[in-house]
Amino acid sequence: MEKGGSPAPISGKLNINPTVRKAIDALQRGEVRIWLSLFVRNAVLYDHGNAMTAAEFIEKSVGREWFTRIDGTEDAGLSVFGSYHTAQWGIF
């Protein structure tokens, strides 16, 4: 993992959708295979409105980006909010 805070543990008290929780756990640990297994084949992800394949996202994110703090959820646990570290932009 790169510098910029440590990956945050996910509190059991947060209402996070079980699949979303698994994806965040995998992201936090940098586990590419587990993370990818949670998406349909040919999934399209968006980063600030820019479409990319799951493989493209993995290449730039998993193991280099993570939540440093998770503050809450919305949308029945499908939307997660908190502080997020990126190698390129720092923590936001």
Side-chain angles (χ1 to χ4, degrees):
M1 298 278 176
E2 298 186 17
K3 295 180 181 177
S6 298
I10 300 174
S11 169
K13 296 178 182 178
L14 290 170
N15 176 31
I16 300 177
N17 173 283
T19 303
V20 172
R21 182 179 293 273
K22 287 178 188 175
I24 292 172
D25 283 340
L27 178 71
Q28 298 296 84
R29 292 189 307 267
E31 295 177 341
V32 172
R33 288 186 180 157
I34 292 172
W35 188 88
L36 187 56
S37 75
L38 298 167
F39 293 85
V40 297
R41 184 180 292 209
N42 300 322
V44 177
L45 306 176
Y46 292 86
D47 183 12
H48 298 284
N50 300 311
M52 65 183 74
T53 66
E56 290 169 329
F57 179 85
I58 287 169
E59 185 176 312
K60 78 176 208 59
S61 301
V62 175
R64 293 179 208 63
E65 298 185 0
W66 55 80
F67 282 96
T68 58
R69 187 180 75 236
I70 298 174
D71 298 324
T73 65
E74 291 182 1
D75 305 319
L78 295 173
S79 297
V80 178
F81 302 93
S83 294
Y84 193 75
H85 163 82
T86 71
Q88 183 174 4
W89 304 108
I91 295 176
F92 61 94

